[in-house]
Amino acid sequence: MYKRQDEHWEWTLKNRPVLASTMGDRRYNRDWTDTSPAAIERRRKETREFLRRAYAIDRDTLADDDRLNHELFRRMLQDDVDQHRFDGHLLPFSQRGGVQNLDNTTNRLRLESVADYDDWLARLGKIDDVVNQTIALAEKGRRSGITAPRVLMERIPDQIAVQLVESPADSPFFRPFANLPERIPPAERERLRATASDVIEKTVLPAYRRLDSYFSNKYLPAARDTIGLSALPNGSDWYELRARTYTTTRMTPDEIHRVGLDEVRRIRGEMEEIIAEVGFDGGFA
């Protein structure tokens, strides 16, 4: 059981390089997650195989604690596999952050040594791939009728605009290099800053200009006026799955809503009983 979980964790770190870096694992410090169609399909296939192997485990042979671990692990994998048919990866933009502010990644990284900064520079040199893959996913979603709500997408142009500077020194990506630690030798600091300026000018800024052009001229005008998942293809089923995932129940969204209303009614009733009991002459909204 633990071997499978360890194997899956290693797989997760390899496929989510930034997560690995934030966990202190520097093996994938120069990479981003590959979101090409081939990579997405490969990960889906591998996730289905992890799930198959999880189901093949005989729960009766496990200790009580291991049974719980197995159930949680299997449920996580099943939810991942169940999500595949909805193609959520075709909604790559979020007003809460994402490709438009990858500079914030450094807030979660350990940048201490020259090697750390060189790793980050290598990552910066691949930002055009990240942007291009994001645009490709968004465009496929746009053509398939899978787009994000306009009311949320309208917040993103201002976020992209922060990246549209004229000088590399004004880019948010240059900030870690503007304040390099004193323990790094002066010659190395000079080299790192010069390399950062070059990468930002030749790779980062052109990538964000492409992103701005695509998003403002093509994606945002096609964003939907609706807000719920139900407006998307298979949206109602998708919403039911999300409800099941987040509540860990088999209840439908309507049943969950009724439980909420019943609980509000019950709590309000108990409050009213206490108000009457203590003679409180105020009220509550």
Side-chain angles (χ1 to χ4, degrees):
M1 172 61 194
Y2 290 116
K3 180 181 178 181
R4 288 173 176 82
Q5 288 181 316
D6 289 344
E7 207 177 316
H8 184 266
W9 179 241
E10 285 296 317
W11 177 86
T12 299
L13 294 176
K14 183 177 180 180
N15 285 281
R16 298 178 60 187
V18 173
L19 172 65
S21 296
T22 62
M23 301 288 290
D25 186 334
R26 291 172 165 167
R27 289 177 294 171
Y28 313 107
N29 262 13
R30 295 179 167 230
D31 299 321
W32 303 95
T33 295
D34 185 354
T35 58
S36 66
I40 290 171
E41 183 52 40
R42 173 185 55 79
R43 287 195 294 270
R44 287 181 167 187
K45 181 179 179 180
E46 291 167 351
T47 301
R48 291 193 295 269
E49 176 59 16
F50 276 119
L51 179 60
R52 184 196 65 76
R53 292 170 61 191
Y55 271 111
I57 295 173
D58 184 356
R59 294 180 70 255
D60 293 336
T61 65
L62 302 176
D64 289 344
D65 287 349
D66 287 342
R67 287 184 185 181
L68 177 59
N69 287 332
H70 172 266
E71 177 60 21
L72 293 173
F73 182 56
R74 183 204 60 76
R75 180 179 291 184
M76 176 192 71
L77 291 170
Q78 185 66 66
D79 283 346
D80 285 347
V81 169
D82 289 345
Q83 293 278 358
H84 291 173
R85 73 184 182 98
F86 301 109
D87 289 333
H89 62 285
L90 299 184
L91 292 168
F93 295 119
S94 170
Q95 82 286 357
R96 297 169 62 185
V99 68
Q100 68 269 28
N101 50 23
L102 289 177
D103 58 287
N104 288 338
T105 305
T106 56
N107 296 334
R108 297 178 285 136
L109 298 181
R110 183 173 59 180
L111 293 175
E112 296 175 346
S113 66
V114 172
D116 292 335
Y117 285 96
D118 278 329
D119 285 346
W120 177 238
L121 284 171
R123 262 197 178 127
L124 290 189
K126 299 174 182 177
I127 273 186
D128 53 346
D129 292 334
V130 179
V131 169
N132 289 340
Q133 288 181 347
T134 300
I135 291 174
L137 291 176
E139 182 60 12
K140 185 176 180 180
R142 188 185 73 86
R143 293 177 180 273
S144 304
I146 302 176
T147 58
R150 183 187 308 275
V151 68
L152 299 179
M153 295 298 96
E154 287 175 340
R155 305 179 187 183
I156 292 181
D158 286 344
Q159 297 172 1
I160 298 176
V162 175
Q163 307 292 351
L164 306 178
V165 297
E166 294 299 323
S167 169
D170 295 328
S171 170
F173 287 94
F174 191 78
R175 288 171 190 160
F177 301 96
N179 299 293
L180 291 167
E182 291 295 323
R183 61 178 171 274
I184 295 179
E188 286 286 54
R189 276 183 270 155
E190 183 177 351
R191 176 186 68 82
L192 289 171
R193 286 177 181 135
T195 304
S197 293
D198 188 60
V199 172
I200 292 170
E201 181 176 9
K202 295 179 179 178
T203 301
V204 176
L205 296 182
Y208 277 104
R209 292 185 187 115
R210 287 198 306 277
L211 178 65
D212 178 58
S213 177
Y214 170 77
F215 190 88
S216 298
N217 298 323
K218 207 163 190 178
Y219 192 82
L220 183 57
R224 57 192 171 94
D225 295 324
T226 55
I227 58 174
L229 277 179
S230 59
L232 296 177
N234 299 314
S236 295
D237 290 344
W238 194 356
Y239 184 76
E240 286 198 14
L241 174 60
R242 301 295 282 177
R244 187 186 79 199
T245 298
Y246 285 109
T247 63
T248 66
T249 73
R250 292 287 175 177
M251 300 170 66
T252 67
D254 285 340
E255 289 170 338
I256 295 169
H257 183 61
R258 282 196 294 273
V259 168
L261 293 177
D262 290 343
E263 280 298 287
V264 170
R265 190 179 301 110
R266 179 186 64 80
I267 294 170
R268 187 181 184 97
E270 291 180 0
M271 293 172 66
E272 288 174 342
E273 288 179 6
I274 294 173
I275 287 174
E277 181 181 337
V278 301
F280 179 62
D281 58 2
F284 53 86

